[in-house]
Amino acid sequence: MRLYVTNTSPFARVVRIVVLEKGLSSRIELVTARTREENSPYYAINPSGRVPYLVLADGTGMEDSGLIATYLDALDGAPRLSAPQSADPWAYGRLEARARSFTDGVSVWVREMRRPQDERSPTILKHEVARAERLGASWNEDVAHPIMQGPLTMAHLLLFVGLDFARDSKMADLEASNPHLRQFAERLRAMPSIAATHPAST
């Protein structure tokens, strides 16, 4: 299998963590995709040009980080990241959806900042910072939920990667103003699979 990623995609990092957590490194070739380039050869592989993108052994392509993570999590017949067995499915689903929403907003901000300065939208940038700050304050309470204090899930990964990208990109250091969120992030930051996928480590 081949997994197409970039270092600038939060969602690609989430899937890379899943690869390590599930012990799939020897089965998956990581390929850095050339995205947002005119006539990039990557577009012949994935016409949407988005990452992450997983190509299976039979050539079938799979897009969307949630779908890819669920597929990889289930390969060994014992899914644990995308389908925590002990959790109330609605309580868990609510947390994962909010974590994905948070990281999606961070991703929008990061993409906007990659544009030339005269093409950036101040309105979009301001909106996403304000949204991140609201969600950060809300998550400062929600990280106390038993699910978020329990074993690693996709909700954990989505929230952490969003926080890390927001901090590293200078969008917002939400951990500085939310002590419970900081404790959550520090706990995950120490995990080998998470440390190994930080852009500075790759």
Side-chain angles (χ1 to χ4, degrees), residues 10-156:
F11 295 106
R13 185 180 179 195
V14 167
V15 173
R16 289 171 58 219
I17 295 170
V18 172
V19 169
L20 294 177
E21 280 292 319
K22 298 296 289 192
L24 296 170
S25 297
S26 64
R27 297 177 58 183
I28 297 176
E29 176 189 3
L30 285 180
V31 182
T32 299
R34 289 168 47 193
T35 62
R36 301 182 183 276
E37 293 183 14
E38 188 174 358
N39 299 319
S40 169
Y42 177 56
Y43 301 155
I45 298 165
N46 179 14
S48 83
R50 294 178 177 174
V51 292
Y53 190 70
L54 181 68
V55 178
L56 306 182
D58 65 1
T60 302
M62 188 179 296
E63 187 177 305
D64 181 77
S65 60
L67 178 65
I68 294 170
T70 299
Y71 176 82
L72 297 177
D73 190 23
L75 278 179
D76 61 0
R80 58 182 173 83
L81 300 172
S82 54
Q85 298 299 312
S86 62
D88 173 344
W90 299 114
Y92 174 75
R94 176 185 75 86
L95 292 167
E96 182 178 319
R98 290 185 69 238
R100 189 175 298 278
S101 176
F102 167 69
T103 299
D104 185 59
V106 173
S107 183
V108 168
W109 190 92
V110 169
R111 285 198 304 268
E112 194 68 19
M113 288 297 290
R114 290 180 64 201
R115 298 176 186 270
Q117 189 166 0
D118 61 349
E119 294 181 12
R120 296 174 192 164
S121 168
T123 301
I124 290 174
L125 293 172
K126 182 178 179 181
H127 172 77
E128 294 303 343
V129 169
R131 180 159 76 127
E133 289 174 345
R134 292 194 306 270
L135 281 168
S138 179
W139 270 112
N140 193 53
E141 304 301 323
D142 270 349
V143 289
H145 193 287
I147 291 172
M148 300 305 291
Q149 292 296 312
L152 193 68
T153 67
M154 285 298 295
H156 292 78

